[in-house]
Amino acid sequence: MTTELLPITRVPRTGLPSHAVVVGDPARAAEVAGLLDDAKEVSHHREYRTFTGTWKGTPLVVSSHGVGGPGAILLFQELADAGVRTILRLGTAGAIRTGILDGDLVIADAAVRDDGVTQQLLPPEYPAFCAPEAVLALRRAAVEAGAPYHRGVVWTRAAFQPGFVTLPAAAYTRAGIAAIEMELSALLVLASTRGLVAGGVLVIDGANADELVDEEATGGYNPHREVVADGVALGSRVALDAVHLLANESTESPETIK
């Protein structure tokens, strides 16, 4: 019997594990999947590339969602339709808060909904928040891995390149926003409306936020550096360990994920 495939991502409607790590780049999905046991590619359509495998005995999905919230939320919706109940985003971001360095991890508590898609789904007052258990699992995994990490609210912004509109970067800096990225709030809103557990861990690939959001400066941005690659490698293991913790938390005491 032919397995039914979902229309946008072409992932199978049934048979996927219930926990997933999602990334932007299809090549990064393959790299993360390369860490798994019994990894198998199950679909690759457009920017959506999906693998299954196991990490420390936990079955999981690794999938790519491309760049930007409007496309990414299509993956999140179809993973949910396929039975995935936990989704952690492993991404890259630009640091805003002082003291967050290239290669560091930012574990999100919540996100500013400037993603370009969820405003068309829900009123802007609806929050984009990470599941507390996801935050705590990521924190525990980062501590156990010895990874430099920070926690805080992140700014999900739809446009990557600066335009002609003055951005509220100064206000967000004063408010203590940790970092800026492009997809997390779309995941968080979708997850909370679908009853999913979701969170995000971001690797800093630019520690000068003024250059990332200032209208006249983008030429210095270079994410293709060893310090970023090292951070992504460490962040990949942190995300996978956190999924393993979440998958097995029902068998642990409440104090073990903290």
Side-chain angles (χ1 to χ4, degrees), residues 84-226:
V84 174
R85 310 309 300 165
T86 299
I87 305 176
L88 298 185
R89 166 162 151 72
L90 167 67
T92 54
I96 292 179
R97 187 192 303 156
T98 301
I100 303 179
L101 304 178
D102 285 334
D104 286 1
L105 306 184
V106 169
I107 297 170
D109 292 314
V112 175
R113 284 179 51 204
D114 192 17
D115 52 61
V117 62
T118 62
Q119 297 91 336
Q120 298 183 16
L121 305 178
L122 286 165
E125 294 82 5
Y126 188 92
F129 56 92
C130 296
E133 60 268 43
V135 176
L136 296 179
L138 285 164
R139 177 188 177 276
R140 175 177 166 186
V143 169
E144 292 181 351
Y149 79 94
H150 313 262
R151 279 180 56 181
V153 178
V154 303
W155 176 10
T156 299
R157 179 177 174 237
F160 181 80
Q161 297 288 355
F164 300 98
V165 177
T166 300
L167 301 174
Y172 285 153
T173 299
R174 292 196 303 272
I177 295 289
I180 180 170
E181 58 88 63
M182 298 183 70
E183 296 89 17
L184 184 60
S185 68
L187 169 61
L188 301 182
V189 169
L190 185 281
S192 62
T193 59
R194 295 286 295 268
L196 311 181
V197 172
V201 57
L202 307 168
V203 181
I204 296 303
D205 65 2
N208 185 346
D210 290 338
E211 291 188 358
L212 296 175
V213 300
D214 188 270
E215 295 179 6
E216 297 186 10
T218 56
Y221 174 60
N222 177 18
H224 307 292
R225 292 171 289 134
E226 184 176 357

Side-chain angles (χ1 to χ4, degrees), residues 218-239:
T218 56
Y221 174 60
N222 177 18
H224 307 292
R225 292 171 289 134
E226 184 176 357
V227 65
V228 178
D230 291 344
V232 169
L234 190 55
S236 299
R237 294 181 177 274
V238 167

Side-chain angles (χ1 to χ4, degrees), residues 9 13 21 24 35 52 55 57 63 77 81 115 119 137 158 166 172 175 177-178 183 194 209 223-224 247 252:
T9 63
R13 182 178 290 276
V21 172
L35 301 173
T52 59
W55 177 257
S63 193
Q77 289 169 333
D81 290 344
D115 52 61
Q119 297 91 336
T166 300
Y172 285 153
I177 295 289
E183 296 89 17
R194 295 286 295 268
H224 307 292
E252 300 177 349

Side-chain angles (χ1 to χ4, degrees), residues 232 243 246:
V232 169
V243 164
L246 290 166

